[in-house]
Amino acid sequence: MITIEEFKKLNLRIAKIKDVKDHPGADRLYVVRVDMGGEEREVVAGIKKGYSPEELTGKLVVVVENLEPAVIRGVESKGMILASQDGDILAVLSPDRPVSPGSIVK
């Protein structure tokens, strides 16, 4: 279990997916460029088996904004797109109403 104070350390934001490319060194990963509301960054995401680039481009998703950057198979990732998996079904977390990129998830 984590405390509410530990949970509050997470900075969850809405981001708009601007571009999706295949990861050059991994066949199950995408390199996703997201707009965090005035800041764009690249995130490496293991969501390729659930979505085509066309399905993702323009989509609003939930991103962990303050995750420590990590190099994943040679590409730096500056965040994490949240998703759920149920068997073979993969679903990125997305707001059910239009909100601005950069909006805080509470």
Side-chain angles (χ1 to χ4, degrees):
M1 299 237 183
I2 66 170
T3 67
I4 192 68
E5 292 307 315
E6 290 170 315
F7 179 78
K8 287 180 181 180
K9 291 178 184 178
L10 289 175
N11 186 359
L12 303 176
R13 300 280 178 158
I14 299 298
K16 184 173 186 175
I17 296 178
K18 305 295 278 182
D19 187 51
V20 180
K21 295 180 181 171
D22 290 335
H23 188 293
D27 56 356
R28 295 186 300 181
L29 301 175
Y30 283 135
V31 179
V32 182
R33 188 169 45 91
V34 296
D35 174 2
M36 303 283 297
E39 176 192 356
E40 289 191 7
R41 56 173 71 182
E42 283 191 339
V43 177
V44 175
I47 56 177
K48 192 171 186 178
K49 72 177 185 176
Y51 293 91
S52 70
E54 296 78 21
E55 289 175 297
L56 290 169
T57 302
K59 189 169 189 65
L60 295 173
V61 294
V62 178
V63 172
V64 181
E65 186 269 339
N66 63 335
L67 189 65
E68 182 177 348
V71 176
I72 301 172
R73 297 216 173 170
V75 177
E76 185 176 41
S77 181
K78 294 183 178 181
M80 177 186 288
I81 296 173
L82 296 184
S84 175
Q85 186 159 5
D86 182 11
D88 291 337
I89 299 170
L90 181 70
V92 295
L93 301 185
S94 185
D96 65 353
R97 296 188 175 134
V99 293
S100 300
S103 296
I104 297 171
V105 177
K106 296 181 178 186

